[in-house]
Amino acid sequence: MTGIFAGKRILVTGGTGSLGQVLARRLLSGVEGLPESVTVFSRDEAKQHYMRLDFMSRGAATDEVIFENSRQRLKFLIGDVRDYGSVVRAATDVDIVFAAAALKQVPSCEYYPWEACRTNIEGAVNLVRAISEFDLPIETVVGISTDKACKPVNVMGMTKAIQERVYIEGNIHSPETRFICARYGNVLASRGSVVPLFLEQIAAGGPVTITTADMTRFLLTLDDAVDTIFAAVRSAQRGDTYIPRCPSAKMLDLADCLIGGREIETVVTGIRPGEKIHEILLSEEEATRTEEGEEGYFALRPMLPELADAVDKPALVGDYSSSRALMTRDELADFLARKIPDVVGQRFLES
């Protein structure tokens, strides 16, 4: 058996989320080597139950499905990253951790900032602390971050920015573990994202709501996000943050593509609490310590002197903003048709 995950015991925190489920499927496909086990760690027993049934291709189950869980390659563990004891238990006998547990909805984090701190920051601290205090022989931890962590203006981005620093600093206390991050933009068709919202509004006859006509976003699919995470595991050095080169588009063009030729009104409602007009994946300051990673990716080197290496030739001049190199309306329509045909449906792309 070959591949970076062959024979590995893998833990996915927040594994019942949109990313976690796609990540689990990709891991279990064996495309990068078949793991010994993939354990989904989350606090929602209902989501675990339905994820278990989905992966077993069963519509309903009796108790033996749970009782037999320990014999399956895909395992489920109930717990909370906010609880140190739960994290210690989950991280024991693990080789690789994908840390995906998060509060990620921007408006929710604005109204519940301390709850965002507890999950996004304290959860990371608990994992780093557990590895250090119990000398857990974990090879790699991948912190799943977001473009909102770059020059953050909202609570979600602020907590994710600190989360990145917590993981990077973990390299100092646990030198046998490689702590790295993967930072990427808006994931198309994920739970709570804009495409399902637009499609729901279109199905209802409109209007389609746009917060501001100038708003732009980086766009990638869940599989693109997993590709970024896998690239980081393959190639990132200790303390690196891996970032994909991904296309961007105006949200007004996205709505127009999905509406197609339908007589549906578009309404500008105003920016919501904590929203940016344009997102940034790499800031001007970060560009000075950014190198070319695997093809299609940037590798942001850590700023801590204990971990940093000199960057002779930065990969960027200036920042990497979603307002740069926007796709045209036609390019965006083609992108959607290729990337998420099952979600969007060709009927929405006809003009």
Side-chain angles (χ1 to χ4, degrees):
M1 226 176 5
T2 59
I4 55 176
F5 301 123
K8 301 297 184 182
R9 298 161 298 176
I10 297 174
L11 175 69
V12 184
T13 72
T16 54
S18 301
L19 172 69
Q21 296 199 41
V22 174
L23 178 58
R25 287 197 181 279
R26 289 278 294 277
L27 289 168
L28 293 170
S29 74
V31 66
E32 295 278 1
L34 190 62
E36 177 183 315
S37 63
V38 175
T39 300
V40 169
F41 176 68
S42 74
R43 61 185 180 181
D44 193 321
E45 62 176 347
K47 288 180 183 176
Q48 286 194 12
H49 175 69
Y50 290 114
M51 182 175 176
R52 181 187 289 113
L53 295 184
D54 183 42
F55 274 69
M56 295 177 69
S57 299
R58 293 179 63 164
T62 52
D63 288 343
E64 84 277 358
V65 170
I66 294 177
F67 296 152
E68 293 293 324
N69 180 60
S70 61
R71 301 184 184 181
Q72 306 296 324
R73 195 179 302 274
L74 177 63
K75 305 176 187 297
F76 293 87
L77 185 61
I78 291 177
D80 194 332
V81 293
R82 300 178 177 192
D83 179 70
Y84 181 59
S86 289
V87 173
V88 171
R89 176 172 59 116
T92 301
D93 298 324
V94 168
D95 299 308
I96 299 173
V97 179
F98 295 105
L103 290 186
K104 63 176 186 175
Q105 297 300 318
V106 169
S108 295
C109 291
E110 290 301 307
Y111 284 102
Y112 302 98
W114 180 240
E115 298 300 323
C117 289
R118 292 193 63 201
T119 298
N120 298 350
I121 300 175
E122 186 181 359
V125 169
N126 283 338
L127 180 56
V128 171
R129 176 187 165 197
I131 294 171
S132 176
E133 290 189 351
F134 288 88
D135 197 24
L136 300 177
I138 293 175
E139 299 169 6
T140 299
V141 172
V142 186
I144 310 302
S145 191
T146 169
D147 53 4
K148 294 171 179 61
C150 187
K151 291 193 171 181
V153 300
N154 51 55
V155 171
M156 199 278 267
M158 293 171 191
T159 55
K160 280 293 194 174
I162 296 175
Q163 182 188 90
E164 287 185 1
R165 302 300 175 85
V166 169
Y167 285 130
I168 290 167
E169 192 257 353
N171 286 286
I172 295 175
H173 300 290
S174 300
E176 299 303 314
T177 299
R178 177 182 56 150
F179 290 89
I180 56 180
C181 293
R183 181 198 290 176
Y184 49 80
N186 187 62
V187 177
L188 289 165
S190 64
R191 187 180 300 147
S193 66
V194 70
V195 169
L197 171 63
F198 283 173
L199 293 180
E200 182 179 335
Q201 292 174 334
I202 291 167
V208 173
T209 56
I210 304 290
T211 53
T212 175
D214 296 327
M215 185 168 286
T216 63
R217 289 292 182 267
F218 293 106
L219 302 178
L220 75 168
T221 66
L222 284 166
D223 276 313
D224 293 331
V226 173
D227 287 341
T228 302
I229 295 165
F230 284 5
V233 175
R234 283 192 301 266
S235 303
Q237 302 177 56
R238 296 170 70 242
D240 279 1
T241 299
Y242 246 57
I243 298 163
R245 293 179 179 271
C246 53
S248 57
K250 294 181 70 172
M251 292 297 95
L252 194 60
D253 287 343
L254 177 62
D256 182 55
C257 283
L258 297 178
I259 292 169
R262 298 179 169 210
E263 293 293 328
I264 293 177
E265 184 183 10
T266 300
V267 175
V268 176
T269 60
I271 294 179
R272 298 181 301 170
E275 277 192 321
K276 282 183 179 179
I277 296 177
H278 308 296
E279 294 289 4
I280 308 173
L281 273 169
L282 277 164
S283 69
E284 292 180 356
E285 295 79 12
E286 290 174 330
T288 62
R289 51 188 172 89
T290 298
E291 300 175 327
E292 297 286 354
E294 282 195 18
E295 184 177 355
Y297 299 95
F298 296 112
L300 170 60
R301 301 292 296 136
M303 69 169 61
L304 296 178
E306 295 89 342
L307 302 171
D309 296 323
V311 177
D312 294 329
K313 187 178 179 182
L316 284 175
V317 177
D319 63 15
Y320 183 33
S321 167
S322 61
S323 62
R324 289 187 176 192
L326 294 168
M327 289 185 283
T328 66
R329 196 270 186 197
D330 289 342
E331 289 170 339
L332 177 57
D334 178 67
F335 175 84
L336 294 173
R338 286 186 292 105
K339 289 289 189 176
I340 53 170
D342 294 338
V343 175
V344 176
Q346 186 62 37
R347 66 188 181 279
F348 291 112
L349 300 177
E350 295 171 352
S351 55

